[in-house]
Amino acid sequence: IAFNIQKIDLKKVTFIQNDEWKGQKMTARVGSLLADIKSTDLGKSEFSINSVDIDKPYFSLEDFDGNRPAPPIFVQDTGMYFNAGDIVVRIVDLKITDGTFASIKRGDVPEKGLFDGAYIKLNKINGNFKQLSFIKDTIKAKVDLTAMERSGLELKKLKADFKLTPQVMEFANLDLRTANSRLGNYYAMHYKDFNEDMPYFIHRVILDARIKNSVISSNDIAFFAPALSDWNKTADINGKLAGTIEDFK
């Protein structure tokens, strides 16, 4: 069966997947979505798209205690952690307006004004993802966006060559700006398992920063390390940092 899909126009669509066995609820919805499609190959699960314009997208992953036994501590990387269907997606230009992304642990009550890896929520996401690809377990894109994290940390500008795999979230050629800080030009977060380690961000996630001509404010670091909330200092930084937040205390 062959399909020649050229346009997709959706309004107020919601998709919910509740996996009681695994212990994860996924919710995705859009206010509107308009896609200009170059080509599709359903047999190979390949999709080539010229542009996607999404208004008020919402995507959340809620983890909870499922019914399956605990998996082994060591899980061999098959290269298909994020992409069990082995689909291939390429998008020339993806535009997001007023988006929301959430990754939360059911039952976790985040402390106001502090970043919590078990309750990540980005609101007011606006921007573009160019040359976006989703192949095997890797997502890549040239990102240029703004957002507001639940903790109050404002991303006034996030521009980077973005890559996400099961073991790393990478921002190369980075230009990151908040209300108080400017950071460039490389930042990455390494972990063994995204879902398992992010709730313990301070202890488990290893940061790799290669910093050039940057200005860092203790007010921004305090979202992750509240002990610095009274410092009220800024620093010009050049150099390399590697380790967990806990290592820097």
Side-chain angles (χ1 to χ4, degrees), residues 178-194:
T178 70
N180 307 294
S181 303
R182 182 180 73 251
L183 182 67
N185 64 343
Y186 180 89
Y187 174 75
M189 295 181 287
H190 298 266
Y191 37 81
K192 292 182 179 179
D193 183 287
F194 182 87

Side-chain angles (χ1 to χ4, degrees), residues 189-208:
M189 295 181 287
H190 298 266
Y191 37 81
K192 292 182 179 179
D193 183 287
F194 182 87
N195 290 331
E196 295 295 329
D197 291 341
M198 276 298 172
Y200 306 96
F201 182 86
I202 291 176
H203 313 290
R204 293 188 184 178
V205 178
I206 298 173
L207 310 182
D208 178 8

Side-chain angles (χ1 to χ4, degrees), residues 108-133:
D108 181 77
V109 180
E111 188 172 346
K112 185 177 180 180
L114 293 179
F115 178 84
D116 186 342
Y119 206 107
I120 300 171
K121 189 173 184 182
L122 288 170
N123 300 302
K124 300 180 181 178
I125 302 173
N126 294 281
N128 291 81
F129 296 76
K130 294 185 180 295
Q131 299 176 30
L132 187 150
S133 65

Side-chain angles (χ1 to χ4, degrees), residues 43-238:
K44 295 181 179 179
S45 298
E46 295 183 358
F47 306 87
S48 180
I49 303 170
N50 291 321
S51 64
V52 181
D53 195 334
I54 311 176
D55 183 58
K56 293 182 173 61
Y58 176 93
F59 182 82
S60 71
L61 289 173
E62 181 185 20
D63 292 316
F64 54 91
D65 293 331
N67 297 320
R68 72 177 181 182
I73 295 176
F74 174 77
V75 179
Q76 184 176 359
D77 178 22
T78 63
M80 304 300 288
Y81 185 94
F82 294 133
N83 189 7
D86 196 17
I87 65 173
V88 175
V89 178
R90 295 181 177 88
I91 303 174
V92 177
D93 187 12
L94 169 64
K95 180 182 178 182
I96 291 178
T97 304
D98 195 16
T100 299
F101 169 81
S103 176
I104 65 178
K105 177 75 172 179
R106 183 176 293 179
D108 181 77
V109 180
E111 188 172 346
K112 185 177 180 180
L114 293 179
F115 178 84
D116 186 342
Y119 206 107
I120 300 171
K121 189 173 184 182
L122 288 170
N123 300 302
K124 300 180 181 178
I125 302 173
N126 294 281
N128 291 81
F129 296 76
K130 294 185 180 295
Q131 299 176 30
L132 187 150
S133 65
F134 184 21
I135 302 172
K136 297 297 182 182
D137 66 340
T138 301
I139 300 172
K140 292 182 178 181
K142 292 186 178 295
V143 175
D144 189 355
L145 57 81
T146 61
M148 176 72 76
E149 213 279 322
R150 173 208 57 81
S151 61
L153 179 63
E154 181 183 7
L155 301 179
K156 298 178 74 69
K157 180 179 182 180
L158 173 56
K159 188 174 183 179
D161 296 333
F162 174 77
K163 181 172 75 172
L164 176 66
T165 78
Q167 288 80 36
V168 64
M169 184 185 297
E170 180 186 73
F171 300 86
N173 298 313
L174 173 66
D175 184 3
L176 172 64
R177 306 191 185 204
T178 70
N180 307 294
S181 303
R182 182 180 73 251
L183 182 67
N185 64 343
Y186 180 89
Y187 174 75
M189 295 181 287
H190 298 266
Y191 37 81
K192 292 182 179 179
D193 183 287
F194 182 87
N195 290 331
E196 295 295 329
D197 291 341
M198 276 298 172
Y200 306 96
F201 182 86
I202 291 176
H203 313 290
R204 293 188 184 178
V205 178
I206 298 173
L207 310 182
D208 178 8
R210 304 163 200 174
I211 301 171
K212 291 184 178 180
N213 302 321
S214 297
V215 177
I216 306 296
S217 168
S218 61
N219 293 334
D220 289 331
I221 300 175
F223 286 108
F224 304 89
L228 303 182
S229 60
D230 295 329
W231 281 27
N232 294 319
K233 296 180 179 179
T234 59
D236 297 329
I237 296 181
N238 290 275

